Amino acid sequence: AGAYIHGPVGGGKSMLMDLFYETSLRGPRRRLHFHELMIDVHKRLHRVHESREKTVVLTESGLPIYRFGDLPAELTAPARVAQQMQQQQQQQQQQQ
């Protein structure tokens, strides 16, 4: 769970989060500015990406097609779409 606060510069967003953070009795907790959160998210995504199996195939015209390891369908809607496409491709290959 989390909170996303937006508004104009000087509108009191950081002050509000500081007050909320200091009075919160729940833990564990971490207070981050949005850019710090995004850096952390991208680092985590990069680690996941680097740990996946990767295959590069070149088309007849030399364009690369990248295939990454299995995508867990529960992660995101695009991952579900990619998984469905992968399953359809596998079915088509089995029929040939």
Side-chain angles (χ1 to χ4, degrees):
Y4 181 79
I5 299 174
H6 63 92
V9 173
K13 301 177 297 293
S14 294
M15 182 190 71
L16 182 63
M17 284 309 301
D18 288 337
L19 289 170
F20 177 75
Y21 183 84
E22 293 301 323
T23 59
S24 173
L25 300 177
R26 301 185 90 180
R29 61 195 179 155
R30 222 169 35 143
R31 189 208 181 281
L32 300 171
H33 278 276
F34 183 75
H35 70 279
E36 294 170 309
L37 172 66
M38 288 294 102
I39 289 170
D40 184 52
V41 167
H42 284 275
K43 283 180 182 177
R44 291 172 186 228
L45 287 173
H46 183 72
R47 283 195 300 267
V48 169
H49 174 73
E50 289 298 312
S51 69
R52 286 192 175 149
E53 172 190 340
K54 298 165 193 71
T55 306
V56 178
V57 178
L58 297 179
T59 63
E60 290 179 12
S61 63
L63 295 173
I65 298 174
Y66 300 95
R67 181 192 180 280
F68 300 101
D70 294 333
L71 298 172
E74 67 275 1
L75 287 180
T76 61
R80 285 193 297 273
V81 170
Q83 187 179 43
Q84 289 171 356
M85 291 172 61
Q86 186 178 23
Q87 288 171 349
Q88 289 173 353
Q89 183 182 20
Q90 288 172 349
Q91 289 172 353
Q92 290 171 353
Q93 288 175 349
Q94 289 172 354
Q95 292 173 353
Q96 293 175 352

